[in-house]
Amino acid sequence: MSEIYNVIIVGSGPAGWTAAVYTARAGLRPLVLAGSLEAGGALMTTTEVENFPGWPEGILGPELMEKMQEQAEKFGARTEYEDAVELSLTDPVKIVKTADNEYRAKTVILALGSAYRKLNVPGETELSGKGVSYCATCDGFFFKNREIGIVGGGDSAVTEALFLARFGKTVHVIHRRDALRASKVLADRLLGTKNVVMHWNSKVQSINGTDELTSVTLENTLTQERSDLPLDGLFIAIGHSPRSGIVSSQVETDEAGYIKTAAPTTATNLPGVFACGDVVDHNYRQAVTAAGAGCAAALDAQAFLASLP
């Protein structure tokens, strides 16, 4: 209670750990609130990262996060596996509360990340974990040689569909438009995969089953015709929502909930509060861009601390 940290970093994905590396190396002894269940962010559910610079052979997502944490702690970062439940950010000394503790700091870096976006259709909640999943790399193996569906058409959805094609008998890609939004390289690779079936101009109206998923009801967006598609597994990859709700009453956000920053800096509307990673970025959403933003937030926090009397 009596200690006032120079920096508290809320979140522990690539943005949070990079901010921790930079602030720790600057001698600021940051506190990282890594979370109790989701420490490491979205990369903890990624099997292999092939596009992070310095790893030509690829690296497992959890291993990359572990190495980032190790590097931050080597320079003096402190890690607590707690969830921030309440933040008071308007005063010169910021307060971050968890279920069991209260921490104070001169600056706070928000690396809150984002959450999976849901379809919000009948049966989705009831069958989540019973055939419905939001993470192909987490659950794809359980559907080996089965009929698998995936909803979405962006880079993330196509990447997950290609991953699922390694396991599934058939992968049914359900997309509400007549062309994929993914990059051409990924789209061409998917369309050339033999066990992939495209369901164009289709949206999921309901997810069906009692104790486990049995099918989804699709509606054609052009004709409004409906049909049932038997499935053993359904993966939903339609984007993410920023985890900004805990601070949205204090920190300015855009209409989608992403925290606004004073570009090119990571400064929010509140002095001493900085934001980085997926809670800010709804354009690129890459591990390397999140890490770069974490670096920027650390340097911005360092400059702010240096300006204090």
Side-chain angles (χ1 to χ4, degrees), residues 128-152:
S128 180
K130 300 176 181 179
V132 174
S133 173
Y134 302 87
C135 179
T137 54
C138 306
D139 301 325
F141 181 79
F142 298 113
F143 299 96
K144 194 172 184 180
N145 297 321
R146 311 288 288 277
E147 296 290 328
I148 304 174
I150 182 164
V151 183

Side-chain angles (χ1 to χ4, degrees), residues 55 197 204 258 279:
W55 302 95
V197 175
V204 176
Y258 290 90
V279 76

Side-chain angles (χ1 to χ4, degrees), residues 5-53:
Y5 288 89
N6 286 308
V7 184
I8 291 177
I9 300 166
V10 185
S12 56
W17 286 129
T18 303
V21 168
Y22 273 78
T23 51
R25 196 165 179 271
L28 299 177
R29 300 181 68 247
L31 168 65
V32 181
L33 295 179
S36 60
L37 297 176
E38 298 182 351
L43 281 190
M44 295 302 288
T45 61
T46 303
T47 52
E48 191 168 8
V49 180
E50 296 181 317
N51 56 5
F52 199 89

